[in-house]
Amino acid sequence: MDDVEAIKQLKARYCRTMDTKDWAGMRQVFTDDVVVDTTGSGGPVVTGADAFMEFLLAQVGDIQTVHQCHTPEITLTTATTATGVWAMADILRLSGGSDIHGYGHYHERYRKEAGEWRISGSTLTRLLTGDPEAASPHG
């Protein structure tokens, strides 16, 4: 498998493990020193995979989620590093049954360690977030 395809599969694994709450599997998509910037969604910058997993469990551990990433723009920068931008859409079903829909981009850095690609940095930017019913003229 070529490196670009491996990075695409890595991002697919990120979405699947997030939505199925496979936290052990999700931890494996990150380098130990990953830096995740969630300020575009009102969150913090978190350094370290274990710290990010703690943050993630606190934020969405009990929330049903659906994440989809599309149209990857992946650039191999060296034999062991790459960057990528992914269009994303997510849905979070809150405890009361209402949904929040979000749309934006993941801007990421990747590093190949021991033959495996991992996410070494991720910044989530948002274009639109909200309740689609509240925005609907019919809702």
Side-chain angles (χ1 to χ4, degrees):
M1 168 183 343
D2 74 8
D3 289 327
V4 170
E5 181 62 24
I7 292 169
K8 289 178 183 179
Q9 289 192 21
L10 172 70
K11 192 61 178 181
R13 204 163 37 257
Y14 168 91
C15 292
R16 177 182 52 78
T17 58
M18 169 85 74
D19 296 338
T20 61
K21 310 304 184 204
D22 176 3
W23 303 123
M26 172 159 267
R27 171 59 181 85
Q28 296 306 307
V29 305
F30 300 110
T31 61
D32 290 343
D33 62 349
V34 68
V35 176
V36 182
D37 182 348
T38 64
T39 57
S41 294
V45 175
V46 180
T47 301
D50 293 335
F52 181 65
M53 293 307 300
E54 288 177 26
F55 168 79
L56 203 55
L57 280 165
Q59 296 301 305
V60 298
D62 295 329
I63 295 175
Q64 186 178 13
T65 61
V66 176
H67 287 77
Q68 296 183 344
C69 294
H70 309 276
T71 60
E73 302 171 56
I74 298 168
T75 302
L76 299 173
T77 53
T78 72
T80 59
T81 62
T83 60
V85 179
W86 295 81
M88 64 79 65
D90 62 2
I91 302 170
L92 289 79
R93 173 138 309 150
L94 304 178
S95 60
S98 63
D99 292 344
I100 296 175
H101 293 223
Y103 306 91
H105 295 92
Y106 285 105
H107 300 259
E108 295 187 325
R109 293 178 310 282
Y110 309 97
R111 190 166 63 234
K112 195 174 196 179
E113 297 179 338
E116 297 290 324
W117 285 99
R118 305 228 188 279
I119 299 170
S120 62
S122 183
T123 299
L124 174 59
T125 59
R126 294 283 186 173
L127 299 171
L128 180 64
T129 304
D131 177 350
E133 295 299 317
S136 169
H138 308 289

